[in-house]
Amino acid sequence: MLSKTEAQDAVIIALDMSREEALELCDKLAGKARWVKVGMTLFYRYGPTIVDEMRERGFKVFLDLKLHDIPFQIRGAALSASLCGADILSIHALGGADMISQGREGTEEAAGMRGGNRTKLIAISVLTSMDQDALSSIGVSLPVEEEVSNLASLAVGAGADGIVCSPQEAAAMRKLLGPEAIIVTPGIRPAGADVGDQKRISTPSAAIAAGASKLVIGRPITKADDPCEAFNAIICELMGLDV
Ligand code: C5P
């Protein structure tokens, strides 16, 4: 059971939509929701402006750019993304320990320059769009679960603050990575909600009970007739209140 503040802080609303729709939605949810996720589609089109626009409305921003390049470049990318106001930034664990530790240094340098909290780095292990065959085709012969665990440990050992994983993996990842790791889970559907294209889903409260720290939730809120009501229902569920 979470307090209201904890529940509000646990929900990240995925803004998979146009800038205009995102701003309209954020105007409705401002003062209630605390976090939004800005992905590559919005960021590559609007750049840091879109992050500023969310921050002006009082939101914290998970900038889901999934960094992956040589360590030198990633240090610069993490520094730039931190300076543009990301509170959480994603990075591919597949880039290896040096790349992740340079990314971490980039976030530390940025925090030193601008003051305030350091941008948290969270790692993507194996993309959920890849199955065992897809892994084999790029020369990885380990079972997917083992590869996910290896990459998650490597990433956190190298300086990542946490990982993104499915709610089904959250309990195992919490055990593997310990209590401090940030565990972010998409694939969340409140009971009775339209499942859409998500396959391995969990309710908000079950994902938190399994060890998730933050839930990325898109369509159950963004496509609801009343997004504020849908958001509130999720907060009530996390607080253990009947809706
Ligand atoms: O609309 P929905 O709640 O399914 O949105 C979930 C968000 O999380 C989307 O932005 C989606 O791209 C992202 N995501 C996901 N599954 C993953 C990784 C990311 O659904 N494995």
Side-chain angles (χ1 to χ4, degrees):
M1 233 62 87
L2 301 182
S3 70
K4 186 171 183 188
T5 310
E6 287 168 340
Q8 288 170 322
D9 207 42
V11 176
I12 304 179
I13 300 171
L15 299 178
D16 299 317
M17 58 191 71
S18 71
R19 171 179 169 270
E20 291 68 30
E21 287 166 331
L23 293 180
E24 195 184 322
L25 180 72
C26 287
D27 283 337
K28 283 186 195 152
L29 286 162
K32 303 180 183 82
R34 295 183 168 211
W35 283 88
V36 290
K37 177 172 85 91
V38 171
M40 295 184 209
T41 305
L42 275 180
F43 191 78
Y44 286 156
R45 185 144 183 198
Y46 301 105
T49 310
I50 189 78
V51 178
D52 289 339
E53 287 177 314
M54 296 306 148
R55 292 178 63 81
E56 280 160 14
R57 287 163 175 77
F59 290 94
K60 292 188 172 189
V61 177
F62 168 19
L63 195 51
D64 191 15
L65 298 184
K66 298 187 172 65
L67 307 185
H68 193 173
D69 204 331
I70 59 170
F72 169 76
Q73 187 67 246
I74 290 307
R75 182 185 175 112
L79 179 112
S80 298
S82 303
L83 290 178
C84 95
D87 296 282
I88 296 179
L89 175 66
S90 58
I91 187 165
H92 269 292
L94 266 174
D98 280 355
M99 187 196 83
I100 291 166
S101 70
Q102 285 297 304
R104 167 77 182 237
E105 285 193 21
T107 63
E108 284 171 1
E109 193 180 334
M113 287 162 71
R114 64 160 156 73
N117 290 337
R118 179 177 61 78
T119 301
K120 301 291 188 291
L121 261 191
I122 59 165
I124 316 295
S125 54
V126 177
L127 289 172
T128 45
S129 53
M130 295 187 81
D131 58 11
Q132 197 69 54
D133 286 345
L135 271 190
S136 302
S137 76
I138 58 163
V140 177
S141 51
L142 287 178
V144 179
E145 301 74 29
E146 218 174 301
E147 179 71 359
V148 166
S149 298
N150 286 350
L151 287 169
S153 299
L154 174 141
V156 170
D161 297 282
I163 55 145
V164 183
C165 67
S166 91
Q168 270 82 5
E169 292 159 355
M173 288 295 131
R174 177 61 68 205
K175 197 165 165 215
L176 180 73
L177 302 174
E180 299 302 324
I182 301 173
I183 295 183
V184 179
T185 60
I188 303 296
R189 290 292 178 270
D194 186 7
V195 170
D197 52 7
Q198 292 284 9
K199 294 199 173 68
R200 298 162 66 217
I201 56 167
S202 166
T203 63
S205 48
I208 293 287
S213 339
K214 301 222 179 284
L215 315 173
V216 173
I217 309 180
R219 289 160 291 179
I221 295 173
T222 60
K223 298 281 184 204
D225 291 338
D226 183 343
C228 290
E229 200 179 295
F231 175 79
N232 282 336
I234 291 169
I235 297 306
C236 287
E237 183 194 318
L238 292 174
M239 294 169 68
L241 303 174
D242 286 335
V243 190

